[in-house]
Amino acid sequence: MNVHRMICEGENAAEVLFVCTDDQCGRRVVLGKSRPKIVVIDDGELGASHIGSMGGVFIEDVDAA
Ligand SMILES: [Zn+2]
């Protein structure tokens, strides 16, 4: 299984934007800070496992389901 790293590309007081570093993928998700929630903006490569972290926020194997 492919493993893609995601990096923080932007944030505000409530949410953090993570993007996949794989050019062929383009997955983008928004994570809520105050409460755990994930909003998938772009699915990217669904078969890949996505991991990333920023500050106290960690994501691992985020699925669109
Ligand atoms: Zn990816």
Side-chain angles (χ1 to χ4, degrees):
M1 181 194 292
N2 291 330
V3 177
H4 293 176
R5 282 192 63 81
M6 299 195 75
I7 57 170
C8 172
E9 196 163 82
E11 66 175 307
N12 61 27
E15 296 170 324
V16 184
L17 171 65
F18 276 96
V19 298
C20 183
T21 55
D22 188 319
D23 289 341
Q24 305 299 315
C25 176
R27 184 182 184 86
R28 293 192 296 164
V29 299
V30 172
L31 271 68
K33 282 181 174 176
S34 54
R35 57 201 168 107
K37 83 174 172 169
I38 296 173
V39 178
V40 178
I41 302 173
D42 288 318
D43 282 337
E45 188 178 324
L46 289 173
S49 181
H50 286 89
I51 58 171
S53 67
M54 192 283 294
V57 181
F58 294 90
I59 55 176
E60 184 175 358
D61 214 1
V62 179
D63 289 324

